[in-house]
Amino acid sequence: TMASPTCSLSLNTPAAHQQAMATARTLSRHRSVQLQVTVDIRTFLPVLPCIDSQAKGERVLQIDGGSPSDLLWFPDRSQLLFISDGAQYSWSAAEGLAPLAATAARVRSHAGVGAAQLVSLCESGLMRLDLDSGVTTDIAGGSSRARSLVGLGGGRLLTLEADDSDKWSVTLVQSGAADAVLLSGLPPLLGACVSADEDFLFISTESGVLRASVDLSTPRAAAPAPFFSPSSGAPGALATDTQGNVYVCTAEGVVVCDDSGDEALCVRTPSAPSAIGFGGSALAA
């Protein structure tokens, strides 16, 4: 004989949660057993990346001038590229910091489209740079209204463009095909990224992060819907990982959201981050 037994469980995986719920349903069918199950569900690997929100970041380099943006890491070269005040820079542990003398023009944005292929958005248009050979070529397509780039697989690009009335659009640029507008009539865009499976496009606006389903083979996109809003300020640069988590630069630091838009953790930073990217050995930093 048992009087109201209580089972308190602390679970750390979805599978364990499902098993516990199945057990609870089975036991609850027996009228002689009163079951109270308290479940504390937390999100752990592999649902989320292994990030310690209390860890302090290591300063890699410091540069005078504008805030760095468009962080790009090329694993095969162990090389970090970024933009500051319209100029491109390269950094590696072996060679340190140096200007990337690919073009004398001011660079608005850049994106990686291959193992050693960099596309830069200059005032004159799009330019491709082979980092191994140093050869640059102009790219057809794109618009003079483009303000930012998002690199995709297969040499494709998304351009974020603004018209004279400050309405923004997202356009797919790919060789051998006409440019395709995926979204238009948007408020000013502060950042963008595409999920690893290229099924979703995430964009930052003053009101929060929006998510739109996309089919880049067609190409087409559904109307964007609210995904996440930071507790203070507007979101900025965005990134995603292979688990579907979204990293959002905010006034308080880098917020990591799961694929439902729920905040999982916040990596605090001394000041508001201006860019975010994965790098280091096996993209583990």
Side-chain angles (χ1 to χ4, degrees):
T1 58
M2 295 185 298
S4 300
T6 299
C7 177
S8 180
L9 304 175
S10 180
L11 307 175
N12 63 358
T13 66
H17 171 229
Q18 293 174 1
Q19 183 178 1
M21 292 299 97
T23 302
R25 285 192 294 269
T26 300
L27 291 176
S28 64
R29 297 191 185 102
H30 300 277
R31 295 183 178 180
S32 59
V33 177
Q34 294 181 356
L35 185 68
Q36 178 183 355
V37 179
T38 302
V39 182
D40 177 18
I41 305 174
R42 299 183 181 181
T43 308
F44 285 82
L45 285 172
V47 179
L48 276 178
C50 187
I51 294 181
D52 181 0
S53 61
Q54 303 302 319
K56 293 183 178 180
E58 176 186 354
R59 183 182 296 275
V60 175
L61 59 93
Q62 183 171 344
I63 185 169
D64 297 329
S67 298
S69 66
D70 295 62
L71 297 179
L72 292 177
W73 178 259
F74 289 85
D76 295 343
R77 302 172 56 86
S78 297
Q79 183 180 21
L80 173 69
L81 301 182
F82 64 93
I83 299 173
S84 180
D85 197 24
Q88 290 171 302
Y89 293 88
S90 169
W91 177 89
S92 68
E95 301 180 3
L97 178 67
L100 188 67
T103 175
R106 290 180 62 85
V107 178
R108 294 174 178 173
S109 180
H110 62 201
V113 293
Q117 300 293 312
L118 176 71
V119 174
S120 301
L121 173 61
C122 308
E123 295 176 351
S124 58
L126 296 175
M127 180 189 71
R128 184 190 301 270
L129 167 66
D130 187 303
L131 294 172
D132 291 332
S133 65
V135 175
T136 61
T137 54
D138 294 333
I139 298 178
S143 167
S144 60
R145 301 178 185 273
R147 297 293 181 266
S148 185
L149 302 177
V150 177
L152 302 171
R156 299 164 299 159
L157 290 167
L158 292 182
T159 61
L160 312 185
E161 305 173 5
D163 63 19
D164 294 335
S165 60
D166 208 23
K167 293 296 184 181
W168 287 61
S169 60
V170 179
T171 301
L172 175 64
V173 178
Q174 53 187 338
S175 61
D179 294 354
V181 178
L182 298 177
L183 297 171
S184 61
L186 301 170
L189 301 182
L190 309 177
C193 69
V194 175
S195 61
D197 57 12
E198 297 188 347
D199 285 341
F200 294 101
L201 168 65
F202 299 89
I203 52 178
S204 290
T205 68
E206 289 286 347
S207 60
V209 178
L210 307 179
R211 179 175 65 179
S213 299
V214 295
D215 182 352
L216 298 181
S217 62
T218 310
R220 62 184 179 184
F227 178 74
F228 168 76
S229 294
S231 57
S232 62
L238 302 174
T240 60
D241 62 20
T242 56
Q243 299 295 334
N245 304 299
V246 182
Y247 300 71
V248 186
C249 289
T250 71
E252 299 177 345
V254 178
V255 172
V256 185
C257 302
D258 63 19
D259 57 7
S260 298
D262 296 325
E263 179 176 338
L265 59 88
C266 179
V267 181
R268 306 287 177 177
T269 55
S271 58
S274 59
I276 183 172
F278 299 102
S281 176
L283 297 180

